[in-house]
Amino acid sequence: MITKPEDFAKSGFNFALFFANTAFDGVERLALLNLAAARSVFEVAMSNFTTLLGAKDVQSFVALQKTFATPSIEKGMEYSRNVIAIASETKDKIAKEVETQVADTNAKVSGLVEKALAAAPAGSEVAVAAVKTAIKSANEAYEGLNKVAKQAAEVAEASVAAATAATVKASKAA
């Protein structure tokens, strides 16, 4: 049970450290992905350029370029999926920790409020009930917002997956 302001500060500091470490981990993974993608793009570009230099005529040049298109689009889609996966995993870690922190803080604050309300003078039952109702309403509002945010994230992820699949399918058809 938190009884001192220092406990709240320590809890907040620990969460800030977790948030920073998680964010840095996501940025590091993204940087490594970008470096690998840049290396791959450069290697493929050099290979494609060398192949195009061997074209005997315009028709073979155009035919070679068409063969390069689909793998490039697929690699671009794979890169996008990886970026989304890294962002989603980072978001999920942070969201889970936020939920844990909010639940923990709510429990601790509720405990403090219960102790304070238990010591309330006689005749303050209406005020005690109002405080309890306010806390309950705030918790319900947070849970509702959290649920809506999760649903929006799921819809966004499903939309990106559908768009990716459609793009790959269209590139193969072309």
Side-chain angles (χ1 to χ4, degrees), residues 72-82 163-165 167-168:
S72 295
I73 291 171
E74 288 174 354
K75 284 185 181 186
M77 291 293 115
E78 182 63 25
Y79 171 80
S80 296
R81 282 191 290 271
N82 287 332
T164 301
T167 302
V168 170

Side-chain angles (χ1 to χ4, degrees), residues 118-168:
S124 61
E125 292 82 16
V126 173
V128 168
V131 169
K132 286 182 179 181
T133 302
I135 290 172
K136 181 180 176 186
S137 296
N139 287 337
E140 289 172 355
Y142 170 76
E143 288 173 13
L145 288 173
N146 197 20
K147 188 175 182 179
V148 169
K150 284 181 182 181
Q151 289 173 343
E154 289 170 1
V155 168
E157 288 174 14
S159 296
V160 168
T164 301
T167 302
V168 170

Side-chain angles (χ1 to χ4, degrees), residues 4 32 67 86-87 105 122 124 149:
K4 301 178 281 185
L32 291 172
T67 63
I86 290 169
T105 301
S124 61

